[in-house]
Amino acid sequence: MAARGQLVGFGGAVAESDLLYLAGEPRQAFAVLETHLATDSTDYDALWRAVRASVVIGLEEEGNTAQNLWFDPAIHLAHRAVALRPDGVDALYWRGVVTGRRAMNAKPSYAVDLVQFVYDDAHTILALDSLHGGAHNMLGKLNYEIMSLSRIERAVARVFMGNAALGDASWENARYHLEKSVESWPDLVLLQFDLGQLYRKRGSREAAVQAFRKVLDLPAAHPIDPRLQDEARELLAELSG
């Protein structure tokens, strides 16, 4: 599914929530969906959109505790959506996104379980759509975060809490998937921003500058995009200093 396809509703509460989300009002979008789901708890399109709104709201909060108040319920919503439609790409994608974000705030034992969801959901999506930019971003970001741990931390995690997500991690995989993500979906701010962060982390200054400039050139499609663009400006100033 094209990235823009995730932003178009089909009528009623879903359409109203999409309009609010696009207008930069994820809290209002979530409120509409929450009310709707109270009377129709099996609406797949409403469920994954509620996860999407929750992720964005959580990212706007300060501190892990406040973020998790949104991420934890969103994980349950995502599980419900996937249970309704196991091959539903949107539900799998947003479950991967929210579990990945929650893993960043989790203790190691819980984080390992969460990142396996990211790994499995991304691979399920790519088996259905090999050009899904979001799934490639999920895998690229997952590899980036694992490889950003110290060598000792990675070794301990692999020995005592090993799983496929940890065992497959490498900088090469991070670069491959993040580059594939922007090839598939070149118009999304987040994907370009994550690629720029990888280049910066790996010392590829010119490539990072190019990616962050692209971030600034793109239109904001998600409520978090303006914040990412502000961060990209700061990083460009740092790289140019």
Side-chain angles (χ1 to χ4, degrees):
M1 176 179 288
R4 295 291 180 180
Q6 294 193 358
L7 301 175
V8 179
F10 301 100
V14 168
E16 183 182 355
S17 72
D18 274 349
L19 290 173
L20 289 166
Y21 183 86
L22 284 168
E25 299 293 344
R27 291 176 186 273
Q28 292 184 39
F30 180 82
V32 168
L33 294 166
E34 185 177 40
T35 299
H36 172 67
L37 288 167
T39 58
D40 187 357
S41 63
T42 61
D43 188 331
Y44 169 83
D45 291 305
L47 282 166
W48 74 254
R49 282 172 168 83
V51 179
R52 180 182 67 181
S54 296
V55 170
V56 173
I57 297 167
L59 290 173
E60 292 175 344
E61 298 288 348
E62 294 292 335
N64 292 353
T65 300
Q67 290 183 349
N68 293 344
L69 289 174
W70 288 97
F71 294 160
D72 286 334
I75 290 173
H76 293 294
L77 291 170
H79 288 329
R80 286 167 54 189
V82 173
L84 285 169
R85 196 176 300 177
D87 62 348
V89 169
D90 290 310
L92 289 166
Y93 172 63
W94 285 102
R95 182 170 72 172
V97 171
V98 71
T99 52
R101 293 292 179 175
R102 180 63 177 87
M104 295 181 187
N105 298 346
K107 294 180 179 179
S109 57
Y110 184 37
V112 168
D113 291 337
L114 291 170
V115 299
Q116 191 64 41
F117 272 114
V118 181
Y119 182 90
D120 290 341
D121 287 348
H123 281 286
T124 300
I125 293 168
L126 291 175
L128 297 166
D129 177 3
S130 64
L131 298 179
H132 192 282
H136 280 295
N137 176 264
M138 286 162 59
L139 288 176
K141 186 68 173 173
L142 177 61
N143 278 271
Y144 175 95
E145 294 296 341
I146 292 173
M147 295 307 296
S148 293
L149 298 172
S150 72
R151 185 175 300 177
I152 293 175
E153 288 172 325
R154 290 200 308 275
V156 169
R158 284 169 173 159
V159 170
F160 294 103
M161 298 177 290
N163 58 19
L166 290 168
D168 288 351
S170 70
W171 285 118
E172 291 76 14
N173 283 341
R175 180 165 184 157
Y176 170 79
H177 286 294
L178 290 176
E179 288 181 342
K180 287 291 288 186
S181 74
V182 300
E183 288 175 18
S184 297
W185 290 359
D187 60 342
L188 286 191
V189 168
L190 173 64
L191 275 55
Q192 291 286 350
F193 182 85
D194 285 345
L195 181 59
Q197 287 283 56
L198 172 70
Y199 289 146
R200 175 173 170 266
K201 179 81 171 182
R202 301 299 288 160
S204 300
R205 179 186 173 281
E206 291 303 319
V209 167
Q210 184 177 357
F212 289 135
R213 285 177 177 166
K214 181 68 173 176
V215 168
L216 299 182
D217 290 339
L218 291 172
H222 291 268
I224 195 176
D225 289 351
R227 193 178 86 180
L228 294 176
Q229 289 172 327
D230 287 342
E231 291 185 32
R233 288 188 188 91
E234 294 176 3
L235 292 168
L236 279 170
E238 175 187 303
L239 290 167
S240 301

